[in-house]
Amino acid sequence: MSRTVLAIDIGSTKICAIIAEIADDDSVSITGAGISKAQGLKRGSITNIELASKSIKTAINDAKRVSGSDVKTAIVSISGAYTKSLNSNGIVNIQNKEVSFKEIERVMNTSVYNANIPNEYEILHALPYNFKVDDQDFIEDPLGMNASRLEVEAHIITTQKSNLNNLKKAVRGAGVEVENVVLNGYASSIATLNPDEKELGVAVIDMGGNTSNITIHSGNSIRYNDFLGVGSNHVTSDLSMALHTPLNIADSVKLSYGSLLAPSNELIELPIIGDENTTHEVSLEVVHNVIFARVEETLMILAQFIENSGLKDQLGAGIVLTGGFSKMEGIRELAVATFGSVPVRLARPIEMDGLFENLRSAEFSSAIGLVMYSAKYYTPYEIDVNKRVRHSNETPASQSKVVFSAENEIPIAPSTEEEQEKEEKMISLGSKKDKKSDEAGIFSKFWNWATQLF
């Protein structure tokens, strides 16, 4: 039976809501979409809950109007602005000498427990990038293997609880409950990468309006993620200051003449900021130089992020640029010059059924990725924001939640149906034993009384 999902991509400059039908075979068909200007947000985080709720509600209502569906829960993106990442590992012994899903849950929960995450932070994703069975490294899927020990290395992405709660509150104010939260860089990579790129190693850079998010994949999982508070709006600000013209005019200049290729000597006439009735002439060479300086600086900082990750040598598939900022003419050529010898490609979202023409653009990669995440296009195993251990072949009933014991907070995998049946049998056997022991106690009391009487 197909299900309807609502995905809300909350960006710094726009809110995009997409409604899609997901069939039993996990094929996706988009039925509605709505886009609104973002308000109450700065650098990807909520700064005014009421204004943010209004923007989100506008996008959702537009999507519902087109789709004709009324969805009450949503999967929502979160910016990497206030996230922190760390690597952790976990080891468990395999009693039955065969790795079941229960053991995979246990080892992943152990890696989360070993990470010692501060109280003010919440897990967004725990993504295993290396399973180790006994002494064998980099097992793709340990399920069903014979082993006496299972080890995992996981990349754990966390965010501040207050940031997460504010996001949920803003979405709830728009009349929708948050079902799941996904890092926007993770969502963008789902929508733009193919399996070969993930296997070979690739860096995805989502360049938006006010932010640029980078995620590095190696071995089918995220190994590194970071955030830079610079986007295409900073080019607009630079142009406004350099050309002494209002922001809206500077934005029009960027969209009309923004190019990183060879400059032109052509002159354009622009109004002066503060006195828009007066105009002055500006050379397009100046426009080119301002834009080039900002974009080059941004790419150089991102190149430094890749250097600092320690994974530069593992980028066999190179670098993928997506997001609205990546649409600027000549950015690929400048990126190739900045990043060195690695290949660079510009990416748009993967094609799917019902994809509206305006959603085929690079700035909607994150929104499309959220829909695909709902259709289980994620890392083979992961722990999500709801502390559920997810796997790519799961059914809704098989999702299990991490449970922590009250005494020592060590994660305990929930019992399966078989275990519950065993427990019930043990309880019933125990109750029979108790019943027999009670009967024996009554008989012994009667015998003692009888012997004393006679």
Side-chain angles (χ1 to χ4, degrees):
M1 188 176 175
S2 65
R3 53 198 172 93
T4 306
V5 298
L6 168 63
I8 307 171
D9 178 33
I10 300 175
S12 296
T13 55
K14 70 175 190 326
I15 311 288
C16 179
I18 297 177
I19 296 175
E21 291 288 328
I22 299 175
D24 291 337
D25 62 353
D26 294 326
S27 60
V28 179
S29 177
I30 291 174
T31 59
I35 302 158
S36 66
K37 185 181 177 183
Q39 291 180 297
L41 289 123
K42 191 174 184 181
R43 289 194 173 187
S45 61
I46 307 285
T47 55
N48 186 316
I49 289 175
E50 189 178 348
L51 286 176
S53 291
K54 284 181 181 176
S55 298
I56 295 166
K57 192 169 187 176
T58 302
I60 291 171
N61 288 343
D62 287 349
K64 284 181 178 179
R65 199 175 296 115
V66 176
S67 171
S69 305
D70 187 23
V71 193
K72 296 296 183 186
T73 60
I75 180 169
V76 183
S77 72
I78 189 169
S79 169
Y82 294 100
T83 60
K84 281 188 178 179
S85 301
L86 67 158
N87 292 331
S88 181
N89 68 329
I91 305 171
V92 294
N93 289 322
I94 312 296
Q95 292 180 343
N96 299 326
K97 305 301 177 187
E98 184 174 317
V99 180
S100 68
F101 183 67
K102 180 188 168 188
E103 272 75 42
I104 295 171
E105 282 184 318
R106 277 174 54 216
V107 76
M108 287 180 65
N109 297 338
T110 305
S111 72
V112 170
Y113 175 71
N114 291 342
N116 292 322
I117 296 160
N119 287 332
E120 66 272 18
Y121 279 82
E122 194 77 63
I123 292 172
L124 270 181
H125 305 283
L127 304 163
Y129 60 85
N130 178 21
F131 281 109
K132 195 174 182 180
V133 172
D134 291 339
D135 291 325
Q136 193 177 349
D137 251 337
F138 297 104
I139 300 296
E140 196 170 313
D141 188 350
L143 191 64
M145 287 189 166
N146 286 329
S148 57
R149 190 178 69 177
L150 178 64
E151 188 173 346
V152 70
E153 291 178 296
H155 181 69
I156 299 173
I157 304 168
T158 66
T159 188
Q160 287 178 329
K161 285 181 179 177
S162 57
N163 192 36
L164 194 61
N165 290 335
N166 288 336
L167 180 77
K168 289 180 178 180
K169 197 175 282 187
V171 175
R172 201 175 293 124
V176 172
E177 284 295 325
V178 175
E179 181 186 4
N180 212 330
V181 181
V182 177
L183 181 72
N184 56 5
Y186 183 18
S188 297
S189 63
I190 290 172
T192 55
L193 296 182
N194 60 50
D196 288 345
E197 286 174 325
K198 290 179 183 177
E199 179 67 30
L200 291 168
V202 63
V204 181
I205 302 174
D206 187 340
M207 306 179 77
N210 285 326
T211 61
S212 295
N213 292 277
I214 180 169
T215 53
I216 295 179
H217 284 254
S218 181
N220 291 313
S221 179
I222 292 176
R223 294 283 305 276
Y224 173 87
N225 68 284
D226 212 333
F227 162 87
L228 177 64
V230 178
S232 61
N233 284 354
H234 291 77
V235 173
T236 304
S237 300
D238 290 352
L239 286 172
S240 178
M241 287 186 284
L243 308 178
H244 306 292
T245 195
L247 282 168
N248 61 326
I249 303 297
D251 197 51
S252 300
V253 170
K254 178 186 73 176
L255 295 172
S256 303
Y257 304 103
S259 173
L260 299 166
L261 302 176
S264 165
N265 292 324
E266 187 184 340
L267 296 174
I268 55 172
E269 208 165 272
L270 300 176
I272 295 173
I273 192 166
D275 183 11
E276 294 180 23
N277 295 323
T278 308
T279 61
H280 67 303
E281 288 186 334
V282 175
S283 170
L284 286 182
E285 189 174 0
V286 175
V287 173
H288 171 271
N289 291 341
V290 170
I291 294 173
F292 192 93
R294 172 60 82 172
V295 177
E296 185 181 41
E297 182 192 28
T298 303
L299 291 174
M300 285 175 71
I301 296 170
L302 292 167
Q304 192 60 51
F305 282 180
I306 293 171
E307 196 73 46
N308 295 342
S309 71
L311 299 167
K312 188 177 180 180
D313 296 337
Q314 296 182 34
L315 301 183
I319 291 164
V320 171
L321 298 180
T322 191
F325 198 0
S326 70
K327 290 162 64 179
M328 184 166 285
E329 188 182 21
I331 197 166
R332 183 185 171 277
E333 290 78 2
L334 181 56
V336 169
T338 307
F339 292 125
S341 57
V342 294
V344 177
R345 81 171 175 95
L346 303 179
R348 297 189 302 174
I350 293 168
E351 192 64 39
M352 61 178 61
D353 189 35
L355 191 63
F356 303 133
E357 190 59 42
N358 63 333
L359 296 180
R360 289 188 167 95
S361 186
E363 64 258 43
F364 298 104
S365 294
S366 183
I368 298 298
L370 291 175
V371 175
M372 293 178 71
Y373 185 94
S374 298
K376 297 186 278 193
Y377 285 85
Y378 40 71
T379 304
Y381 297 95
E382 77 166 79
I383 296 175
D384 67 9
V385 73
N386 299 314
K387 296 185 175 66
R388 291 187 184 279
V389 179
R390 309 192 70 151
H391 56 106
S392 50
N393 296 321
E394 71 184 343
T395 56
S398 71
Q399 294 177 5
S400 55
K401 193 170 183 177
V402 180
V403 182
F404 291 91
S405 66
E407 292 177 8
N408 51 13
E409 294 188 340
I410 294 177
I412 302 167
S415 57
T416 60
E417 289 179 13
E418 287 181 14
E419 287 174 323
Q420 286 173 358
E421 283 176 15
K422 284 179 185 176
E423 285 173 10
E424 285 169 8
K425 285 177 184 176
M426 286 173 70
I427 291 165
S428 63
L429 284 170
S431 61
K432 284 177 185 176
K433 284 179 183 176
D434 291 344
K435 194 174 180 183
K436 284 179 182 177
S437 62
D438 289 346
E439 287 172 357
I442 293 165
F443 181 78
S444 65
K445 284 179 183 176
F446 173 77
W447 181 255
N448 289 337
W449 173 79
T451 50
Q452 286 173 7
L453 191 67
F454 298 104

